[in-house]
Amino acid sequence: MTSNTTAPPAPGPAAAGRSALRGSRPVTLIAMCLGAMITFLQITATVSALTTIQRDLRVDPTTLIWVPSAYTLMVASVVLSAATLGNRYGRKRVFAAGVIAMIVGAAVVAGAPTVAWVIVGQLVAGLGGALILPNSLAILGATFTDPHRRTEVITAWSAASGIGLAIGPLIAGTLLQHHRWHSVYLSTIVLGVITLVVAAVGVAESRPSAARLDVRGLLLGTVAIAAAVYAMIQGGKDGYTSPVVLVAWIAALVSLVGFVLVELRASAPMLDVRLFRSASFSAVMVVAAVSLFGFTGVAILLVLFHERAQALSPLDTGWRMLVLFGAYVLAAFGAGRAIRRTGFKAPIALGLVLGAVASFALATQGPTASFGSRWALFALFGAASGLVVAPATAAALASVVPAQAGMAAGAVNAARQVGSVLGSSLLGTLLTTTMLADLPDRLAAHQVGEPTAAAVRTAVAAGVTGDQPLPDPVRAALAEALTSGVQAGLRVNGIVFLVTAVLTLALVRNRPHQH
């Protein structure tokens, strides 16, 4: 079946000659890895600045969840459609448009006077991330046609996202020591400009198809994902049966049904839904979502734990998180090379089990736990996540016929980003609700009188406690309540990882299917 989201087959001699004149393989790899790095740098830079943003703009905890979630919401909603746009108008062109959108979005956030403008900037940057991710992967697929070399390149591309995650807290922490939180987003602008220059110099245009756009599928798919993710995020604030959230659920369901019907009848669908008849492909989509659900969600929980429960600076937090992100990068490289010998199933299942073990172990530690007793668990969770991400991406491409590899890449990217937004929003919401529910008992345990306790509860709900010094009993109660929220999120993540490990062992195909 012809598809307007598929990666192209190996180019013919003429096409290869044109690409050789117009593009360089090493430069292409560098540019696409820089693009992947930007999309994840934006996530951890934002997470590192959350405490300062909340204090400066007086943001209540439930609204604060939208600051990181707005970015991943837009990425999740548009990433599948972005692959179609790249195939229609040129992948390099759409990739460059994504980088420009990232720069513009970061500039909007950098100049934001209110939290509303922060969220607007995050949405614009999210649009850029959505355009970058599938098209960078598709460009690499078109440039590196040897299957083994392509697996290595995909591994490097996946590891680049980990590098973006790792340097985000360090850059943010350094800037926050000397400047206001707005400066954190200058890193995205600078790296975006560098990426544009590198792409302009050494990346060849890739346009496999000039077929008509699947406009109905594009619109319905975008609405379905956006409405579902919005309902999940807003439901944590207003309740999952509130009128607005119910309308979002209905819109998501109707759009999803319409999307499936349209794609089944389309001659060149944006996503061939028949792919989901493969149990292995469907399971890999779940794995892809869960991998970033845990990685993004746990990273946010740990950053908030260090900055709020332990009162560390963003830079000190960044150095601690570097252990997690560094282990992720190393494991991702190792897993990509090990796939040839082990197949997909072993590293994915092992990573999920180890990630669950690390999550449960971290959930046993209190607010006074030293980093010396925790760093090994940070490294374990980072390495576990690295074992999952690269093999899951390769398994998605191996679960379909070669002509549908690009479509599978778009689908796995969409699943990953949906998982990322759910990790940040659902685990973040769980932290907030658990903290608010646990705070009265913690205040009482530390013998904080009712007038003061009521004022503290009101201030925490409004997100304004950071502006004033707090008595030691109040500070201890807040740290313990927040830690209980972090622990709840970690336990939920551990359960999700274990269930997904069982699904992997049962359904994921261990080797590429001989189509």
Side-chain angles (χ1 to χ4, degrees):
M1 177 179 292
T2 303
S3 169
N4 61 353
T5 58
T6 57
R18 288 194 297 272
S19 294
L21 291 174
R22 297 170 56 198
S24 162
R25 284 189 172 188
V27 176
T28 297
L29 176 58
I30 292 171
M32 298 305 105
C33 286
L34 285 173
M37 193 184 303
I38 296 173
T39 62
F40 286 88
L41 170 66
Q42 183 80 3
I43 294 173
T44 51
T46 297
V47 171
S48 299
L50 276 181
T51 298
T52 310
I53 291 173
Q54 182 179 29
R55 182 172 61 246
D56 189 32
L57 299 181
R58 296 179 176 268
V59 186
D60 67 88
T62 49
T63 301
L64 190 69
I65 295 299
W66 276 104
V67 174
S69 296
Y71 173 80
T72 43
L73 167 65
M74 183 61 79
V75 175
S77 302
V78 182
V79 68
L80 191 58
S81 306
T84 303
L85 296 175
N87 289 352
R88 171 67 177 176
Y89 298 109
R91 290 163 173 164
K92 177 184 176 181
R93 183 178 300 169
V94 175
F95 173 85
V99 177
I100 292 172
M102 287 288 300
I103 294 171
V104 172
V108 171
V109 179
T114 66
V115 70
W117 278 106
V118 172
I119 292 173
V120 168
Q122 287 283 81
L123 290 171
V124 175
L127 174 62
L131 297 176
I132 290 170
L133 285 168
N135 288 292
S136 61
L137 188 57
I139 288 171
L140 291 176
T143 304
F144 298 89
T145 55
D146 176 72
H148 296 302
R149 179 61 175 151
R150 183 183 294 176
T151 298
E152 294 174 355
V153 165
I154 290 174
T155 299
W157 179 86
S158 298
S161 65
I163 296 173
L165 289 167
I167 65 175
L170 296 178
I171 294 174
T174 302
L175 290 171
L176 287 170
Q177 276 196 325
H178 305 287
H179 306 283
R180 298 184 65 191
W181 61 265
H182 304 78
S183 64
V184 168
Y185 296 91
L186 297 179
S187 57
T188 298
I189 297 173
V190 172
L191 190 57
V193 172
I194 294 172
T195 304
L196 283 177
V197 172
V198 175
V201 169
V203 178
E205 183 58 277
S206 170
R207 184 187 297 176
S209 172
R212 292 178 56 189
L213 281 176
D214 178 14
V215 177
R216 290 187 300 170
L218 187 151
L219 293 176
L220 287 169
T222 300
V223 171
I225 295 175
V229 173
Y230 173 85
M232 292 177 189
I233 298 173
Q234 197 64 21
K237 177 181 179 181
D238 297 337
Y240 291 100
T241 58
S242 67
V244 172
V245 174
L246 284 177
V247 169
W249 283 123
I250 294 170
L253 179 61
V254 171
S255 299
L256 178 62
V257 172
F259 175 78
V260 171
L261 294 176
V262 165
E263 297 305 280
L264 285 173
R265 298 174 182 174
S267 58
M270 182 178 76
L271 175 64
D272 187 353
V273 294
R274 296 175 183 85
L275 291 176
F276 290 93
R277 292 176 178 172
S278 164
S280 178
F281 181 81
S282 299
V284 168
M285 293 301 104
V286 174
V287 170
V290 166
S291 66
L292 279 202
F293 171 90
F295 194 61
T296 304
V298 168
I300 290 176
L301 293 177
L302 294 178
V303 166
L304 294 178
F305 170 81
H306 285 125
E307 292 187 359
R308 299 187 185 180
Q310 297 196 327
L312 297 178
S313 70
L315 183 57
D316 287 337
T317 299
W319 284 114
R320 285 162 174 75
M321 296 301 294
L322 186 61
V323 174
L324 188 153
F325 296 135
Y328 168 89
V329 173
L330 294 176
F333 273 118
R337 294 182 177 275
I339 289 173
R340 295 186 192 180
R341 298 188 298 272
T342 66
F344 305 122
K345 187 175 294 189
I348 292 175
L350 178 62
L352 290 168
V353 171
L354 292 179
V357 170
S359 296
F360 288 131
L362 285 168
T364 65
Q365 308 215 349
T368 59
S370 68
F371 186 64
S373 64
R374 297 165 63 87
W375 73 267
L377 296 176
F378 279 46
L380 179 61
F381 186 80
S385 298
L387 286 175
V388 175
V389 173
T393 303
L397 301 183
S399 295
V400 300
V401 296
Q404 294 175 317
M407 183 182 292
V412 75
N413 264 313
R416 282 158 54 100
Q417 296 310 313
V418 169
S420 180
V421 73
L422 294 181
S424 62
S425 59
L426 296 186
L427 294 185
T429 299
L430 179 61
L431 181 155
T432 299
T433 55
T434 303
M435 175 184 177
L436 292 175
D438 195 50
L439 184 57
D441 291 339
R442 301 291 180 176
L443 290 169
H446 286 276
Q447 299 180 341
V448 178
E450 183 50 38
T452 302
V456 170
R457 292 195 298 269
T458 301
V460 169
V464 296
T465 58
D467 284 350
Q468 48 194 332
L470 299 172
D472 288 342
V474 173
R475 187 182 301 112
L478 287 171
E480 291 173 5
L482 185 138
T483 300
S484 67
V486 171
Q487 291 170 338
L490 289 168
R491 286 191 290 268
V492 167
N493 184 72
I495 293 170
V496 171
F497 268 39
L498 285 180
V499 171
T500 308
V502 174
L503 184 71
T504 298
L505 292 172
L507 298 179
V508 172
R509 184 179 293 124
N510 197 43
R511 298 284 179 181
H513 183 58
Q514 300 300 317
H515 299 284

